[in-house]
Amino acid sequence: MTEAQPDPLPAPWALVTGGSSGIGEALAAGLLARGCHLVLVARDSVRLEAARARLEGARPGAPRTEALALDVGDAPAVAAAMAGLLARLGPPAWVVTSAGIALPGRFLDQPLAEHEAQLRTNALGTVNVLHALAPAMAQAGRGQVVLIASAAALGGFAGYAAYAPSKWAVRGLGEVLDLELGAHGVRVLTAFPPDTDTPQLAEERARRPAFTARFAGGARPLSPGFVAERILAAAERGARRVAPGFGASLLLWAGRPWARYLEAAQRRLLRRHPEDSR
């Protein structure tokens, strides 16, 4: 009797970190709709499994979705997990680094541990994943990297002295990788989403300092699905940067003049409400 052979794994495959909710889950849904075999990565195994079930339930018969519980800030664990995926699946077609945490706070009050935590997950977590996967993509001469930075990496925003530098680091990494990996046929897109209606935003808003809440309070958050589709569409047309939403687009494309305007508006608010900065 001939031994049954396992079903071949579908190609292409996509890795999405931070895939258990929010923008990451919405991007995963978009990639699943595009026929990708998904590997979802997040720290919380319970939330991750729930996201996997939601994705597969929304598209019966779609390519398989795997859940991989992993802390992207743990470099040795990431290297081992990515090596296993490469051995089994080969180079990925998509790598989306959406894992991130946002802990706003007043610089004069915020503990160093919160600075370190955001740099570890947002900046080093992105580096850890790409350091493990990019060589195989470059050798294959193909693939798409999507780095999720933030609109906070396009200007100065009071209350984000711990978060913004981690996303500025992602922005800088994207600029360099666009050149280096681009020379090997790997495309790199850096995305700068503004406030998006996610579980993380709800937690973030609860801790914003008074002056941050006053400045950002009137902004209506975008939906994760809208943000994800704008990002994926930009990647598919070969863009290098994308900022979903009108305000973030102005920051990206108008550059420093618009950023200076927003910074001046914050200064006026702080002068008008000095109690907010105490």
Side-chain angles (χ1 to χ4, degrees):
M1 174 184 262
T2 304
E3 183 179 349
Q5 295 298 312
D7 292 335
L9 287 167
W13 74 277
L15 180 111
V16 180
T17 71
S20 62
S21 66
I23 294 173
E25 184 179 349
L27 285 165
L31 290 169
L32 194 64
R34 286 161 171 80
C36 289
H37 171 90
L38 282 179
V39 178
L40 291 183
V41 175
R43 285 183 294 188
D44 189 320
S45 60
V46 174
R47 293 176 62 186
L48 186 60
E49 180 57 30
R52 186 201 64 75
R54 284 193 300 270
L55 290 166
E56 289 196 340
R59 297 190 67 85
R64 187 158 57 94
T65 302
E66 301 181 32
L68 175 60
L70 181 68
D71 178 359
V72 296
D74 184 340
V78 169
M82 296 305 108
L85 288 171
L86 288 172
R88 183 163 56 89
L89 302 174
W94 291 77
V95 175
V96 179
T97 59
S98 187
I101 56 174
L103 302 172
R106 184 171 175 260
F107 181 78
L108 295 175
D109 302 324
Q110 197 159 24
L112 279 175
E114 293 191 353
H115 290 260
E116 293 167 353
Q118 289 170 94
L119 285 167
R120 179 179 182 271
T121 296
N122 302 348
L124 290 177
T126 298
V127 171
N128 291 339
V129 171
L130 291 175
H131 196 265
L133 293 177
M137 298 171 76
Q139 186 173 9
R142 56 178 173 78
Q144 173 74 59
V145 171
V146 178
L147 307 180
I148 306 300
S150 167
L154 296 171
F157 296 95
Y160 286 94
Y163 172 75
S166 70
K167 291 299 189 176
W168 279 86
V170 172
R171 177 184 179 178
L173 180 66
E175 296 288 335
V176 174
L177 293 186
D178 175 51
L179 296 171
E180 294 194 12
L181 297 184
H184 294 274
V186 179
R187 298 193 306 193
V188 178
L189 170 71
T190 306
F192 302 91
D195 279 357
T196 305
D197 190 11
T198 66
Q200 178 172 275
L201 179 63
E203 297 171 9
E204 178 186 332
R205 281 177 160 174
R207 349 172 356 129
R208 280 176 173 170
F211 49 77
T212 306
R214 190 184 298 277
F215 178 70
R220 183 177 179 181
L222 302 179
S223 74
F226 174 87
V227 170
E229 279 306 313
R230 291 298 185 276
I231 291 171
L232 292 174
E236 288 172 334
R237 67 173 180 266
R240 297 174 177 176
R241 303 167 194 86
V242 62
F246 179 72
S249 291
L250 271 180
L251 270 173
L252 178 60
W253 300 116
R256 285 304 301 161
W258 183 242
R260 283 197 296 269
Y261 169 79
L262 293 178
E263 289 158 9
Q266 292 175 83
R267 289 191 183 94
R268 287 195 298 272
L269 273 175
L270 284 166
R271 285 197 298 271
R272 195 176 305 148
H273 300 279
E275 71 278 8
D276 284 357
S277 63
R278 290 176 172 80

